[in-house]
Amino acid sequence: MDNIKLNDLRRQYTPLRNEILSALDAVFTDMNLFLGPNTRAFEKEWAEYCNTAHAVGVDNGTDALIIALRAYGIGKGDEVITPANTFVAIAEAIHEVGATPVFVDINPETYNIDVEAMKAAITSRTKAIVSVHLFGLAADMDAILEVARPKNILVIEDASQAQGAKYKGKRVGALGDSACFSLYYTKNLGGYGEAGIFTTNDTKVANTFALLRKHGEEPKYHTVISGYNSRLDEVQSAILRIKLPHLEEWNSQRRHWASVYTQELQGIVETPKIPDNCESVFYVYVIRTPQRDALKEKLLAAGVESGIHYPVPLHLQPMCQEYGYKKGQFPVTEKYAEEILSLPMFAELTESDVQRVCNAVKKSL
Ligand SMILES: Cc1ncc(COP(=O)(O)O)c(C=O)c1O
């Protein structure tokens, strides 16, 4: 019997294959590979989906974060607050623009930023908060904005793991000052390689961002500001346009499998707690148990692959040593890093896959 993968994208490709191959053929026949009709159309469609005035595509989600910080003029001497339990790209982006990352602990229920801890971390140098919607669940944006707005601190959503997720009925991407999305191939909406996009209602910021993604050139071969080579290409855009109309259905299928997992596994392991005012898109389904490492091994022996998001908190990453954090500073993040385990999660799972995963978890514990 085949292993059940954490995310088996082959199953998503099969029904879309003909449509994707003919779209790629059209792109290659046209040979207009950058900032062409598919990218322009996808940017428009993504802005409409997120209900924002602008969407600007880039090469990947890390670049979206770097270029967003640059577009706001954030740099040396500035501090940017972000949760300690997230993907390293955020720390890299803050470091890359010359600012200082300020990490804070996570809320034990939602795994997103702890708003009280965030409030306590604000100083006169705080310029922005990168609020991550981790595992598909929106952060408590109203509480974050309530703290940030009176102090003129920017709020940038990192919605890389939450395409289509809702907070109080609104989609992420339009909840703060702007938002960055990775569209890496394993995301709920992903291209076939690297891709990313930025959304905002602020026309000036959108224009600066668009300038920075193409070498700061305006007009061509006349660089007004040192930028980046980071354009969303036509190949990725054509694929993303085919996938976007399926995103809602895929997300709702993920929620269905999450509800089956929760029903079967609660009481045996800690299962995700989704606040009533949020609709998660379950980028990953994360359980928690003190026997995590043994469980992971036993699951693999039973043909079930799993993941850890993330084993090393940002403040304990070797790259962050220069900021002087110590082990023990963020107890929730550190405890969870030892206990979390992501189970297989993708729309095309079957009832029998999910039962196999649940049985394997129960048997292992
Ligand atoms: C929360 C978060 N932020 C940023 C990134 C970086 O995106 P990319 O891999 O597209 O550079 C990712 C994903 O990989 C992510 O999950």
Side-chain angles (χ1 to χ4, degrees), residues 9-24:
L9 285 158
R10 295 170 303 183
R11 295 192 201 173
Q12 189 192 64
Y13 177 59
T14 308
L16 299 177
R17 185 171 183 269
N18 289 344
E19 209 182 338
I20 287 177
L21 292 182
S22 77
L24 292 181

Side-chain angles (χ1 to χ4, degrees), residues 197-213:
I197 200 157
F198 171 79
T199 53
T200 186
N201 284 320
D202 186 327
T203 303
K204 193 162 164 262
V205 168
N207 288 342
T208 309
F209 186 101
L211 188 65
L212 284 165
R213 79 169 161 179

Side-chain angles (χ1 to χ4, degrees), residues 207-229:
N207 288 342
T208 309
F209 186 101
L211 188 65
L212 284 165
R213 79 169 161 179
K214 50 167 185 117
H215 295 291
E217 286 182 331
E218 195 57 62
K220 199 164 166 55
Y221 299 132
H222 182 88
T223 288
V224 293
I225 179 172
S226 171
Y228 304 86
N229 178 14

Side-chain angles (χ1 to χ4, degrees), residues 3 34 42 65 84 136 148 194 214:
N3 274 9
F34 287 100
F42 178 67
L65 288 160
E194 305 275 6
K214 50 167 185 117

